Amino acid sequence: MLQSNRMNGLHPYVPGEQPKDREYIKLNANENPYAPSPKVGKAVIDFVENHREKMGLYPDPDSNELHAAIADMLNQCGGVLCRAKVDGDKVTPAEEDKIPFTVTTDMIYTGNGSDEVLSFVFYAFFDSGEKFVLPEFTYSFYPVYAGFYNIPMDTIALKSDWTLDTEKMLSSAHADNGGIIFANPNAPTGLGLTREQVRQMLLKASPDKIFIVDEAYVDFGGQSCIPLLKEFKNLLIVRTFSKSLCGAGQRLGYIVANPELINIVTTVKNSVNHFPIDALSQVSGKTACSDVAYYVETSKKVVEEREKFYDFLKEKGFFVLKSQTNFIFAKHDKIPGADLYKKIRDQGILIRHFATAGIEDFVRISIGTAEQMQALRQAIENIL
């Protein structure tokens, strides 16, 4: 065989279905149903038409302007878009989201989507001789990277109310002297810990081990842990442009952390690919960050539709977890998850079903536009 022995242990991530046989309403991949800001489109067109020569040159390897734009965006909104206040072009954070310091450029790292960022984080901070701790049901790329880098892991079951068992996670981390990673709000449950709950975990965790909070969905109603960076040097926060910044096709993810941790991840990056963010993505990313008000409004629209759809599902007899994300996790006692997925697919709408034992009766439904959600309501009415 030509392949290496390492290949035998790989179990690749399986993304949401990307159909080619027909047109579907896509509510299966937690994409944002709204297009990026019009300013992004104009900036990209201007770059291609008037600065085309830059596409033949290497981009800024450190994405300095993009990092400055991300830091400015976070300082404006406090790290949670859906609660921020907009007055014309001025954006101010909700009181509970105010960051008690200024996020600076040296606290930002960017990569090709948060998946690449996570890959470098795993390489930089988890060792093959120590287990890292994660929830049993969470983002399924974490176990993929564990296998890729041959890092043992300890998965901790969720509590009966589907929340994280923080005490058991901490106990396991101390026993195996490993780090911790979890999504907050969690996926696929949509539930989140408060900032104070995370702070209490950090107070009990080892300060010499990495503590990673994945905030891919926090802009839709969670509490960002960015304010905790002033107190905890081992905290590393992963975020993405794919959800609240309407950029799943853009492939931009980033870290917010203390400069010491940023430098470590940058060393890994420079050992793999010195130019990870292409010139066009740097332009579109920093332009998106310059129009915070637009993304505050689109995030609020997603939250509004989520709450309406939550009420609808409850009325129809579904068991629904109270989501803080741009998706809902639900099940119906009379319809197995796989059957519900197939019946809805037959009506031209894609949602996500996981065959994983323990959550096989659930479906995960991304929140779309008002029109898309109305079509899904009608499909569910037809099925019921």
Side-chain angles (χ1 to χ4, degrees), residues 233-304:
K233 300 298 183 183
N234 62 326
L235 172 61
L236 184 146
I237 298 168
V238 178
R239 296 173 65 113
T240 181
F241 277 63
S242 296
K243 314 304 180 185
S244 57
L245 292 176
C246 312
Q250 196 173 13
R251 308 317 303 135
L252 277 176
Y254 63 101
I255 292 170
V256 192
N258 286 288
E260 296 85 354
L261 300 186
I262 296 296
N263 289 337
I264 292 171
V265 180
T266 301
T267 298
V268 176
K269 180 265 289 187
N270 288 337
S271 303
V272 178
N273 179 5
H274 193 49
F275 301 100
I277 310 298
D278 66 77
L280 203 54
S281 291
Q282 291 191 39
V283 167
S284 59
K286 68 184 182 183
T287 306
C289 292
S290 73
D291 195 3
V292 185
Y294 175 85
Y295 295 100
V296 169
E297 295 305 322
T298 54
S299 296
K300 289 180 184 293
K301 288 180 184 178
V302 170
V303 170
E304 182 181 357

Side-chain angles (χ1 to χ4, degrees), residues 37-47 287:
S37 160
K39 293 181 180 180
V40 172
K42 291 178 181 178
V44 169
I45 291 171
D46 175 71
F47 183 86
T287 306

Side-chain angles (χ1 to χ4, degrees), residues 34-60:
Y34 300 102
S37 160
K39 293 181 180 180
V40 172
K42 291 178 181 178
V44 169
I45 291 171
D46 175 71
F47 183 86
V48 173
E49 289 185 344
N50 301 315
H51 305 281
R52 188 159 47 95
E53 74 284 355
K54 292 185 178 180
M55 297 182 73
L57 304 174
Y58 287 116
D60 174 8

Side-chain angles (χ1 to χ4, degrees), residues 3 10 52 101 118 153 205-206 213 216 240 270 285 322 332 344:
Q3 69 184 37
L10 293 186
R52 188 159 47 95
F101 57 87
L118 284 165
M153 57 185 181
S206 170
V213 180
T240 181
N270 288 337
K322 189 65 174 172
H332 198 289
I344 290 176

Side-chain angles (χ1 to χ4, degrees), residues 132-353:
F132 75 94
V133 178
L134 72 166
E136 180 181 9
F137 301 119
T138 189
Y139 184 33
S140 52
F141 226 133
Y142 303 156
V144 171
Y145 284 137
F148 188 82
Y149 291 118
N150 194 29
I151 304 168
M153 57 185 181
D154 191 5
T155 56
I156 306 301
L158 300 181
K159 294 196 289 189
S160 59
D161 62 357
W162 297 93
T163 59
L164 302 189
D165 194 327
T166 58
E167 291 300 322
K168 287 187 178 179
M169 291 177 70
L170 288 167
S171 177
S172 174
H174 283 300
D176 290 306
N177 199 30
I180 290 175
I181 185 171
F182 59 92
N184 192 48
N186 194 29
T189 63
L191 303 178
L193 299 176
T194 66
R195 185 183 306 118
E196 182 57 28
Q197 286 176 306
V198 176
R199 181 176 179 273
Q200 291 302 316
M201 289 183 72
L202 281 157
L203 287 171
K204 298 173 184 176
S206 170
D208 299 323
K209 290 296 177 181
I210 198 71
F211 192 104
I212 304 163
V213 180
D214 186 343
E215 292 190 346
Y217 300 100
V218 75
D219 278 319
F220 300 105
Q223 287 191 343
S224 177
C225 291
I226 292 174
L228 301 179
L229 290 171
K230 187 174 184 179
E231 188 175 359
F232 301 99
K233 300 298 183 183
N234 62 326
L235 172 61
L236 184 146
I237 298 168
V238 178
R239 296 173 65 113
T240 181
F241 277 63
S242 296
K243 314 304 180 185
S244 57
L245 292 176
C246 312
Q250 196 173 13
R251 308 317 303 135
L252 277 176
Y254 63 101
I255 292 170
V256 192
N258 286 288
E260 296 85 354
L261 300 186
I262 296 296
N263 289 337
I264 292 171
V265 180
T266 301
T267 298
V268 176
K269 180 265 289 187
N270 288 337
S271 303
V272 178
N273 179 5
H274 193 49
F275 301 100
I277 310 298
D278 66 77
L280 203 54
S281 291
Q282 291 191 39
V283 167
S284 59
K286 68 184 182 183
T287 306
C289 292
S290 73
D291 195 3
V292 185
Y294 175 85
Y295 295 100
V296 169
E297 295 305 322
T298 54
S299 296
K300 289 180 184 293
K301 288 180 184 178
V302 170
V303 170
E304 182 181 357
E305 286 303 318
R306 182 192 70 205
E307 295 306 297
K308 290 179 181 177
F309 191 63
Y310 173 87
D311 291 339
F312 167 79
L313 290 178
K314 294 285 285 186
E315 290 171 3
K316 298 301 176 183
F318 282 82
F319 171 78
V320 194
L321 296 181
K322 189 65 174 172
S323 175
Q324 296 177 333
T325 66
N326 68 334
F327 61 85
I328 277 180
F329 201 52
K331 66 176 181 177
H332 198 289
D333 288 342
K334 297 180 180 179
I335 310 173
D339 290 350
L340 183 60
Y341 156 77
K342 292 175 184 175
K343 290 177 183 294
I344 290 176
R345 190 182 192 278
D346 289 342
Q347 296 188 64
I349 303 172
L350 293 179
I351 60 174
R352 191 81 190 264
H353 173 255

